[in-house]
Amino acid sequence: MFGRREPVPFAFVAEADRFRSNVTPPPRERLSVGQMAGRWLLGLTIVAGLVGSLVVGTPALTVDNPGSQPQQSQASQKN
């Protein structure tokens, strides 16, 4: 029904932890001044957008407490 369970040799997994290559990867290229400035500008733009949305959205989240004066429309004040 379920088939036979046979032992699977996992020796290759144990050997993979000990394997070391004699090929070194090439050194990473340094970013140019323009690329670095672009990344800084992108980061600053994202942070400024988040701060701006927080500043603009905060007044909408506050609960206005009108105090003891009930609000009346201008039409009701003309009588």
Side-chain angles (χ1 to χ4, degrees):
M1 199 176 197
F2 289 109
R4 291 189 317 215
R5 291 190 175 214
E6 297 179 3
V8 179
F10 288 105
F12 63 91
V13 176
E15 290 177 7
D17 291 338
R18 290 180 274 160
F19 179 75
R20 297 283 181 212
S21 175
N22 60 354
V23 178
T24 58
R28 295 179 61 177
E29 294 183 16
R30 292 186 56 100
L31 294 177
S32 68
V33 176
Q35 288 175 331
M36 197 172 297
R39 288 187 181 186
W40 272 97
L41 186 62
L42 179 65
L44 286 175
T45 303
I46 291 172
V47 169
L50 290 172
V51 170
S53 65
L54 184 66
V55 168
V56 170
T58 301
L61 296 174
T62 59
V63 178
D64 292 334
N65 198 359
S68 61
Q69 291 182 337
Q71 289 185 347
Q72 295 181 351
S73 64
Q74 291 179 354
S76 65
Q77 292 175 357
K78 288 185 179 181
N79 290 337

